[in-house]
Amino acid sequence: MSSSHDNATAGPGKGDGTQVLRILSGLHAGAGRTLAAREMILVGSGEDCDIVLADAGVARHHALINLLGDVSSLRALDAPLRIDGQPLNPGDPVELRPLQRIQIGEAAIAYGTEDDPGWATLQPGNTGFSAAAARVSSAGMRRLPMIAAIAVLSLAALAVFAAVMPSQKQKVDTDAEAKALVHDFHIYKGALSNDGTGQTLSGIVPDRATTDLIQRRIQEKDLPVALNLRTGEQIAADVGEVLRTTLPGVDIKTRYLGEGNVEVAGYFPDMVALQRVAQSRAMRDVRGLTRIVPKNQTALAIGQGPTNAPPPAASAPPPPTRIISIVRGKDAHLVGMDGQTYAVGADIPGLGKLLSIGETAQVLGNDGAPHRVVVQPVTAQELAAAADQKLADEAKAAGGTPAATPASTASPAPQPAANTKPATSGSKSPSAGATPAGDKSKKM
């Protein structure tokens, strides 16, 4: 046993001389780390410590170990500890030798050469020491000479000051952080206001999930900002509630398109009534609503059945919508053959989602590729044919003989099979023609 103690107190020089600090007992028993030749180690339960111990009885900053080559030291900080069984109260540092057992609360640690056989006397469960070790311990701990103590105390004071003193928080630029939130999360009409009680960030976001992400960012950056955000889901739901109240019996679906625009889809037998509701006081009171984009799913053409015709079978794809004109400007939109209007972001039956309106109109087709919309204005020949058909129907209803149809208008010009061309085509779209007299297009 005495030979083991001799090895334990011999210091560096065993094996390759690599110094390690090991946790001998407690919750973290068996853990360790390699040490540098000169190192300062703060031990405690605080997260800012170099060695963090979660055991009972461990203070936040419990001990400071200074490895200074030939002269190493140990100092108790916030609470007393034991070294080889002897108490050490907070105060002056004492000399620390390799493989001395340092009891900190219910944990114990020691440092020494990695392959020193003396570690065997310090393993968990082995609480005994050799007689020589007991004599050394009972003789008391060796305090450092005054000059060395002053030097070590100076280093210790600097380390404790850096570890204990919290770093000064940098002043947060709330305005800049709020602008970053508006940019990063695409907050529509995002604005930071102050009502005297604090700062509030308001605006419109697509959904609740986006609001949660913004709230998390505010918490992470500790911003003094409250949220007053409106979601597109809420706006669409409010629009649907107004429509269901004012247009009972109409199956309506609403969808937020962004920037305050809400798409209203359904089978509307009376588009005038829909426009009236869209311009009503109840609709104007929906906070965050900019515009209603109607999507009438009847998809009527000239001479087709009544406006309240049932929708086509779900399995049958809708026929391509015939676009008869492009309206450019502030409220740019396309006009369909049935008078339906389509703003950017709207789904055009049979064509795809309207991406943009410029010199030409672009849609995203079902094949995932962009296409140019081909405008097919109503021709004079089609109007004449429709008029002749109306006369014939009126004569038949009156019991007379329908007048002969002129050869020039007997057969209307055939319509193109498709209404879009690939966006890469070099051909130009035909210019917008005249809108038929029965055009019901409206800006909502």
Side-chain angles (χ1 to χ4, degrees), residues 381-400:
Q381 187 178 13
E382 288 176 315
L383 290 175
D388 290 341
Q389 183 63 45
K390 182 178 180 181
L391 289 175
D393 292 341
E394 290 176 352
K396 186 177 181 179

Side-chain angles (χ1 to χ4, degrees), residues 46-73:
E47 294 183 359
D48 55 342
C49 294
D50 301 300
I51 302 295
V52 180
L53 301 174
D55 302 83
V58 179
R60 187 167 183 268
H61 300 116
H62 204 125
L64 184 68
I65 299 174
N66 292 279
L67 303 179
L68 304 173
D70 295 336
V71 180
S72 297
S73 66

Side-chain angles (χ1 to χ4, degrees), residues 32 173 231:
D173 189 341
T231 69

Side-chain angles (χ1 to χ4, degrees), residues 179-353:
K179 290 180 180 179
L181 289 172
V182 172
H183 176 270
D184 295 344
F185 293 97
H186 307 287
I187 303 176
Y188 181 59
K189 294 185 178 180
L192 187 66
S193 60
N194 194 329
D195 59 0
T197 60
Q199 293 179 302
T200 301
L201 179 61
S202 59
I204 302 173
V205 294
D207 47 38
R208 179 65 187 177
T210 304
T211 303
D212 294 341
L213 291 175
I214 296 172
Q215 185 64 56
R216 187 181 305 171
R217 172 84 69 87
I218 289 175
Q219 293 174 351
E220 290 174 352
K221 292 185 174 290
D222 196 21
L223 299 179
V225 174
L227 288 182
N228 183 24
L229 298 177
R230 184 93 162 133
T231 69
E233 295 170 340
Q234 293 172 327
I235 297 173
D238 289 348
V239 169
E241 185 62 28
V242 172
L243 290 173
R244 279 186 286 272
T245 302
T246 54
L247 297 176
V250 179
D251 185 17
I252 299 171
K253 294 182 180 179
T254 58
R255 181 168 67 96
Y256 184 69
L257 301 177
E259 298 186 351
N261 298 321
V262 175
E263 178 188 83
V264 177
Y267 299 94
F268 303 108
D270 189 350
M271 292 295 292
V272 175
L274 176 62
Q275 183 182 20
R276 187 166 52 249
V277 173
Q279 297 174 348
S280 66
R281 175 64 181 272
M283 199 65 77
R284 290 198 302 269
D285 287 343
V286 176
R287 186 165 65 91
L289 177 62
T290 301
R291 186 176 61 171
I292 287 179
V293 181
K295 183 180 178 182
N296 194 350
Q297 297 177 337
T298 53
L300 296 178
I302 288 180
Q304 197 170 339
T307 56
N308 59 354
S315 59
T321 300
R322 179 176 174 179
I323 302 299
I324 62 174
S325 67
I326 299 177
V327 178
R328 298 177 176 85
K330 183 178 180 181
D331 295 321
H333 60 273
L334 304 183
V335 180
M337 189 69 176
D338 59 350
Q340 176 66 41
T341 60
Y342 302 96
V344 173
D347 290 323
I348 305 177
L351 298 184
K353 186 174 183 178

